[in-house]
């Protein structure tokens, strides 16, 4: 019970950090979307395709290797720190040189300067990468809360002020750069680990032998995810890319916050018991049940309320993003299955298997892109639904053998919350048939959906609902005794 409390406590801190920061960023982005319009956001979308790919090399898989290694010490952490810094400086120099080529590819010379400035986030990320691994390994997620929130609030002020003063796309560049910088500074102040004057090539080889497979896996995944945007940006109109990205962002805010919170805690927790397959299965099963219980109603509810929400908080020029938003909601709803299965594989030291799965998934994904890219942007988006189901099956396949937890058993574990979410969504959708204005529609839909889901969970005695209630009560009782 003590272990469960520690895991849940850290997960709540991580979730609070992600939700708090992203809530601020979300509101700011809505304000900036109204002030700047799709044009500026399409430029940033193009730039972040390349910075996201380079960001993969910042970690090089070594951060996960530090978390997974049982006896990692200061020599390991310092070695990774120096390798990361050298890699980041090289990557920044590389993108600085090729920025004009990227601008030429998109026939937009205005991209060169923003690419060179925004890519500084690569160097900044290198400075904080090992600190993040240290926090994760030692389950100190409270540190993330203050670092991320501080950076986000400061960046919000900078972004809105510069947009108001007419700086256009530079408002978005400054916001992202400032956020990363302040986040890093606060993390270094609050986390006491510092690199030592030591470097071990032997330690690096050991960590890299595990981490390179995760690096390649992550690189394949990032290139694949950004390939759709690269093709849309080149083949279709810039506004198409802006609408696609905007539809992706709404569900992604929710999914990445919940998923990152679970992901951050699961790997170090599972790594501690990596030799006990039954314990890992128990953790994986609980993670799938609990995270889908939280994720499903959010995704279904967001999809149902999409039109009223976009129409209310953005302008009519953003309404074409609604279909994309709904597609991403249903694609992302099943992400917890991917996260739990992959963390189990990583925790057991099977980074080789992780890489094989990534290659198989991306072959299927690339085929879907090749087929749909000639049809329309919407066809490319719909292919994500097929890929989501295929990836679930592929990711869960090895765990039937590794820990006797098959995909069908996983579906059985998530089915109650999925069905309840769909029932809730169907009832909530009927509210918009009343023809009320957007504000009244949302004021009825949101509390109604929450009430249906919570009451339904209680009446049906859903395992995840009862688990969350009992665990939270235990934490509160423990805190009251301490006071």
């Amino acid at each position: 019970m003590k272990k469960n409390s520690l895991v849940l406590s850290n997960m709540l801190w991580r979730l609070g950090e992600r939700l708090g920061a992203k809530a601020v960023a979300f509101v700011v982005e809505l304000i900036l979307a109204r002030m700047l319009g799709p044009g500026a956001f399409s430029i940033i979308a193009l730039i972040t395709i390349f910075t996201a790919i380079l960001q993969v090399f910042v970690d090089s898989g070594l951060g996960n290797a530090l978390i997974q290694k049982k006896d990692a010490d200061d020599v390991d952490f310092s070695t990774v720190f120096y390798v990361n810094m050298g890699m980041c400086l090289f990557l920044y120099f590389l993108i600085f040189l090729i920025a004009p080529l990227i601008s030429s590819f998109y026939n937009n010379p205005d991209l060169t300067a923003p690419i060179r400035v925004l890519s500084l986030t690569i160097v900044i990320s290198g400075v904080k990468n090992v600190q993040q691994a240290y926090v994760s390994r030692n389950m100190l997620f409270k540190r993330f809360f203050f670092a991320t929130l501080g950076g986000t609030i400061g960046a919000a002020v900078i972004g809105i002020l510069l947009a108001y003063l007419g700086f256009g796309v530079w408002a978005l560049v400054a916001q992202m750069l400032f956020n990363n910088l302040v986040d890093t500074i606060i993390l270094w102040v609050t986390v006491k680990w510092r690199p030592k004057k030591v470097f071990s090539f032997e330690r690096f080889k050991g960590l890299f032998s595990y981490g390179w497979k995760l690096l390649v896996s992550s690189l394949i995944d990032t290139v694949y995810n950004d390939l759709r945007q690269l093709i849309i940006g080149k083949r279709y109109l810039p506004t198409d890319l802006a609408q696609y990205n905007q539809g992706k962002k709404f569900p992604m805010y929710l999914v990445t916050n919940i998923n990152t919170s679970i992901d951050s805690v699961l790997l170090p927790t599972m790594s501690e018991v990596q030799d006990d397959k039954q314990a890992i299965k128990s953790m994986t099963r609980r993670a799938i049940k609990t995270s889908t219980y939280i994720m499903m109603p959010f995704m279904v509810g967001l999809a149902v309320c999409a039109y009223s929400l976009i129409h209310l908080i953005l302008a009519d020029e953003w309404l074409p993003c609604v279909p994309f938003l709904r597609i991403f909601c249903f694609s992302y709803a099943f992400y917890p299955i991917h996260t739990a299965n992959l963390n189990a594989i990583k925790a057991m030291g099977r980074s080789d298997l992780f890489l094989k799965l990534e290659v198989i998934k991306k072959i299927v994904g690339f085929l879907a892109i090749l087929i749909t890219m000639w049809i329309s942007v919407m066809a490319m988006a719909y292919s994500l639904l097929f890929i989501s189901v295929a990836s679930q099956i592929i990711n869960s396949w090895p765990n039937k053998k590794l820990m006797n937890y098959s995909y069908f058993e996983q579906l059985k574990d998530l089915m109650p919350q999925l069905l309840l979410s769909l029932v809730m969504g169907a009832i909530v959708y009927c509210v918009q048939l009343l023809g009320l204005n957007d504000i009244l529609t949302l004021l009825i839909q949101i509390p109604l959906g929450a009430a249906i889901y919570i009451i339904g969970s209680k009446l049906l005695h859903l395992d995840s609902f009862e688990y969350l209630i009992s665990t939270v009560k235990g934490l509160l009782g423990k805190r009251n005794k301490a006071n």
Side-chain angles (χ1 to χ4, degrees):
M1 183 64 186
K2 184 178 180 181
K3 185 68 176 178
N4 287 340
S5 297
L6 178 63
V7 172
L8 185 61
S9 175
N10 275 280
M11 193 177 293
L12 290 175
W13 271 112
R14 187 64 163 145
L15 185 60
E17 172 249 323
R18 300 308 304 171
L19 288 178
K22 291 298 183 180
V24 175
F26 181 68
V27 172
V28 173
E29 188 153 324
L30 294 179
I31 295 171
L32 293 176
R34 277 186 170 273
M35 296 174 72
L36 301 176
F41 280 83
S42 66
I43 293 175
I44 292 297
L46 291 174
I47 296 172
T48 52
I49 291 172
F50 298 95
T51 56
I53 293 171
L54 294 182
Q55 190 71 38
V56 175
F57 290 94
V58 175
D59 176 47
S60 304
L62 298 177
N64 279 321
L66 287 173
I67 297 170
Q68 194 272 340
K69 187 178 180 181
K70 281 186 174 182
D71 56 350
D73 57 19
D74 276 341
V75 177
D76 296 293
F77 277 86
S78 297
T79 297
V80 172
F81 177 82
Y82 295 124
V83 170
N84 271 355
M85 286 308 304
M87 177 67 72
C88 291
L89 291 171
F90 169 76
L91 290 173
Y92 179 72
F93 178 71
L94 178 65
I95 199 168
F96 187 92
L97 292 179
I98 67 172
L101 297 178
I102 298 173
S103 300
S104 176
F105 178 77
Y106 285 109
N107 299 314
N108 188 347
D110 294 334
L111 286 176
T112 300
I115 289 173
R116 286 173 168 172
V117 175
L118 190 57
S119 296
L120 285 169
T121 56
I122 303 297
V123 179
I124 298 171
S125 294
V127 175
K128 72 174 178 180
N129 178 262
V130 176
Q131 294 281 20
Q132 289 176 315
Y134 183 86
V135 167
S136 296
R137 180 178 176 84
N138 292 283
M139 305 285 277
L140 302 171
F141 291 99
K142 189 185 295 186
R143 305 292 195 279
F144 280 148
F145 181 85
F146 297 107
T148 306
L149 206 60
T152 304
I153 293 172
V157 176
I158 294 291
I160 293 174
L161 179 61
L162 291 180
Y164 176 77
L165 294 175
F167 281 85
V169 69
W170 286 103
L172 297 173
V173 172
Q175 180 198 13
M176 297 170 72
L177 193 61
F178 185 86
N179 191 353
N180 215 312
L181 180 61
V182 174
D183 185 3
T184 302
I185 292 172
I186 295 177
L187 198 61
W188 268 75
V189 170
T190 56
V191 177
K192 299 306 178 184
W193 181 85
R194 296 292 182 270
K196 306 296 187 295
K197 294 179 180 179
V198 291
F199 184 91
S200 170
F201 188 71
E202 288 301 315
R203 297 286 186 93
F204 169 71
K205 286 197 301 182
L207 292 165
F208 190 72
S209 67
Y210 172 85
W212 78 265
K213 304 177 189 76
L214 299 182
L215 163 63
V216 175
S217 300
S218 184
L219 183 61
I220 293 171
D221 186 56
T222 303
V223 170
Y224 165 75
N225 288 329
D226 288 338
L227 184 60
R228 280 185 174 83
Q229 293 167 245
L230 191 150
I231 292 171
I232 294 169
K234 180 64 176 176
R235 183 172 174 78
Y236 297 94
L237 297 174
T239 52
D240 290 327
L241 177 59
Q243 300 291 355
Y244 177 92
N245 260 13
Q246 195 65 258
K248 182 180 180 180
K249 285 177 182 177
F250 278 78
M252 183 176 280
Y253 274 127
L254 290 172
V255 172
T256 53
N257 291 330
I258 296 171
N259 217 41
T260 301
S261 305
I262 295 166
D263 190 33
S264 301
V265 178
L266 268 186
L267 180 58
T269 305
M270 286 180 172
S271 295
E272 290 181 5
V273 293
Q274 58 188 266
D275 300 321
D276 188 343
K277 292 184 179 180
Q278 190 57 42
I280 291 181
K281 177 182 178 179
S282 178
M283 289 182 186
T284 305
R285 190 174 186 186
R286 175 53 61 195
I288 288 176
K289 283 185 173 184
T290 305
S291 54
T292 53
Y293 178 81
I294 297 170
M295 190 88 77
M296 290 292 180
F298 275 117
M299 291 296 98
V300 173
L302 181 58
V304 169
C305 300
Y307 184 87
S308 297
L309 191 65
I310 297 298
H311 191 253
L312 176 66
I313 61 180
L314 295 176
D316 287 348
E317 61 183 341
W318 287 106
L319 285 177
C321 80
V322 171
F324 296 118
L325 189 155
R326 286 174 172 156
I327 292 169
F328 279 111
C329 280
F330 289 108
S331 298
Y332 287 155
F334 296 93
Y335 259 43
I337 303 179
H338 307 305
T339 303
N341 278 298
L342 294 176
N343 269 305
I345 292 169
K346 286 191 290 185
M348 288 186 279
R350 296 301 306 271
S351 59
D352 59 325
L353 194 53
F354 189 100
L355 176 57
K356 289 176 183 177
L357 295 178
E358 205 60 47
V359 171
I360 295 170
K361 286 184 295 184
K362 294 316 176 269
I363 289 174
V364 176
F366 283 128
L367 287 174
I369 291 175
L370 286 174
I371 293 169
T372 57
M373 64 181 284
W374 310 103
I375 303 172
S376 67
V377 178
M378 191 61 66
M380 295 177 70
Y382 272 118
S383 69
L384 290 169
L385 296 174
F386 166 75
I387 298 302
S388 178
V389 176
S391 296
Q392 290 173 47
I393 298 171
I394 294 168
N395 285 334
S396 62
W397 167 71
N399 285 330
K400 180 176 182 178
K401 183 176 181 180
L402 290 176
M403 56 181 179
N404 194 31
Y405 191 29
S406 69
Y407 178 61
F408 291 106
E409 192 177 354
Q410 293 174 26
L411 282 180
K412 184 179 177 181
D413 284 338
L414 67 85
M415 196 56 66
Q417 43 266 37
L418 172 60
L419 293 176
L420 181 57
S421 296
L422 291 175
V423 171
M424 175 207 73
I427 296 172
V428 168
Y429 178 79
C430 294
V431 174
Q432 67 188 50
L433 300 179
L434 299 174
L436 304 172
N437 64 44
D438 295 326
I439 296 176
L440 283 176
T441 299
L442 292 172
L443 286 175
I444 296 173
Q445 284 181 321
I446 295 172
L448 176 63
I452 292 171
Y453 195 71
I454 293 171
I455 293 171
S457 299
K458 190 171 180 61
L459 292 175
L460 296 172
H461 300 287
L462 290 192
D463 174 71
S464 298
F465 174 75
E466 294 180 347
Y467 169 78
L468 284 171
I469 294 298
S470 63
T471 307
V472 171
K473 282 182 178 178
L475 287 172
L476 292 176
K478 184 178 179 181
R479 181 168 294 181
N480 289 335
K481 285 182 181 179
N483 293 334

